[in-house]
Amino acid sequence: MYKPFTPEKIWIEKRVLRNETTREILSRLPEVPVKEIGTINEVLAREINASGEKILILAKQEGEFLKPCPGTRNYICCNYFFLNLATNCDINCSYCILQSYLNNPYMTVYTNLDEMYPELDKLLKKNANRFYRIGTGELTDSLTLDHLTRYSKKLIPFFLKHNNAILELKTKTTQIDNLLDFSPQNRVIVSWSLNPQEVIDREEKKSPSLRQRLAAAKQCGEAGYLLGFHFDPLIHYAGWENGYRDVVRRIFAAVPADRIVWISLGALRYSADMDRIVRKRHPESTIVLGEMFSGKDGKLRYFRPIRERMFQRMVQWIRQEDNQVRVYLCMESPEVWRKAFGEQPLVQCGLPQQLDQAVFQRRDGAEPVC
Ligand code: SF4
């Protein structure tokens, strides 16, 4: 059952102690004990959170806030950008790559937003002819801390003012209250990562149900947000065809097709060290029981014919509901694209252009050229 994160302790880096955003977050958690720390790196060098206490660290983002998606060697990438405002996630999905990716076990929020706005503003103005698709969900779920940070309320007005970028808030939660204060008129995307309920029950146990996610999507669509849906990871299990077919039907029953800017498909993949982590931390998970093979990027993936079959069926089911909505594969080779779509949809223009056009089509009513 989903319960929004409430910390038992807050640790604050000295250098962001007087920061306005730090103060705002603290004002929402008056009962929680606060400790001042040096820097997060000093903490990590000294101690690991073995107690399991829910600790929230408020820290300074030392590097640039905005980074291009690292992509994966030898696979088609969509040229997405990530705005890194927080690290870690309390939802604790069994397959989450953060488990092997991060050396920081603490929920961490960067509060030096006063440095983020000039960085973004400068970049978007300097590259006024370029279009940026920007998400906040690389190292966390975009909305899982929004009840504490209210970062959506800070980001949405900023992006509404910039025509050459669109913000995508990607989540599994139902934390949309702050979003409903705006009327974004198709200029912000809220997207949900979905799976059949039996997969949610086993692999995403702390997240809201499929029904709750789709109800939240419906509300956001009605409020004027564009919607995205991500089937990533698609999980192969006995009964997957019925499960995923049902989810596709339920999406189109819940929201009008012309609200949906894109649907992505990505099959389960993870680094080799995840196997041990998943078996230890999620003994009930079945994701490590299937046969996985090393891909061109060294990550373990389903055997290619299984992935192709899953993508083909998903594309077919989505097309039966609506043949306009943009569907794309996440981190797959051109050969797999061809098999999934029965043709090579990237011949006329590449994936980044296709996704930009999906935004222009829904946001501005532009005719797609490919
Ligand atoms: S919601 Fe996303 S970021 Fe959070 S644990 Fe699950 S996969 Fe990881």
Side-chain angles (χ1 to χ4, degrees), residues 298-343:
K299 286 192 185 143
L300 299 177
R301 297 166 172 250
Y302 294 132
F303 191 37
R304 186 168 135 188
I306 293 180
R307 305 203 313 272
E308 288 172 352
R309 170 87 180 147
M310 294 187 88
F311 295 143
Q312 275 169 354
R313 301 295 281 151
M314 288 297 288
V315 170
Q316 184 189 357
W317 295 326
I318 293 166
R319 289 284 168 253
Q320 281 167 5
E321 300 292 335
D322 182 83
N323 62 8
Q324 298 295 313
V325 66
R326 195 75 60 158
V327 183
Y328 68 95
L329 305 187
C330 196
M331 299 302 165
E332 283 294 350
S333 63
E335 301 78 46
V336 174
W337 273 79
R338 198 173 300 115
K339 278 280 171 50
F341 291 90
E343 56 176 354

Side-chain angles (χ1 to χ4, degrees), residues 159-160 162-163 166-167 184-189 224 363-364:
F159 279 91
L160 291 179
H162 289 82
N163 214 31
I166 194 152
L167 173 69
Q185 297 170 352
N186 302 339
R187 299 173 61 83
V188 174
I189 303 166
R363 186 187 74 172
D364 311 324

Side-chain angles (χ1 to χ4, degrees), residues 88-98 137-141 144 171-172 204:
N88 255 315
C89 181
D90 55 310
I91 297 178
N92 197 24
C93 303
S94 64
Y95 52 75
C96 183
I97 56 155
L98 297 181
E138 183 189 17
L139 302 177
T140 187
D141 176 290
T144 195
T171 190
K172 286 192 177 88
E204 304 169 357

Side-chain angles (χ1 to χ4, degrees), residues 113-178:
L113 298 192
D114 48 324
E115 293 174 49
M116 178 199 73
Y117 293 117
E119 178 194 320
L120 269 182
D121 205 46
K122 191 169 156 202
L123 181 91
L124 296 179
K125 284 191 176 136
K126 187 171 157 208
N127 301 294
N129 293 327
R130 177 171 180 178
F131 189 70
Y132 289 86
R133 285 168 280 107
I134 298 175
T136 57
E138 183 189 17
L139 302 177
T140 187
D141 176 290
S142 291
L143 296 176
T144 195
L145 293 177
D146 210 53
H147 58 302
L148 304 179
T149 64
R150 301 194 189 166
Y151 278 4
S152 62
K153 292 185 104 156
K154 296 176 185 288
L155 293 175
I156 291 169
F158 177 88
F159 279 91
L160 291 179
K161 283 192 279 188
H162 289 82
N163 214 31
N164 64 328
I166 194 152
L167 173 69
E168 180 179 24
L169 298 168
K170 185 174 166 189
T171 190
K172 286 192 177 88
T173 75
T174 47
Q175 299 241 53
I176 57 168
D177 287 357
N178 294 326

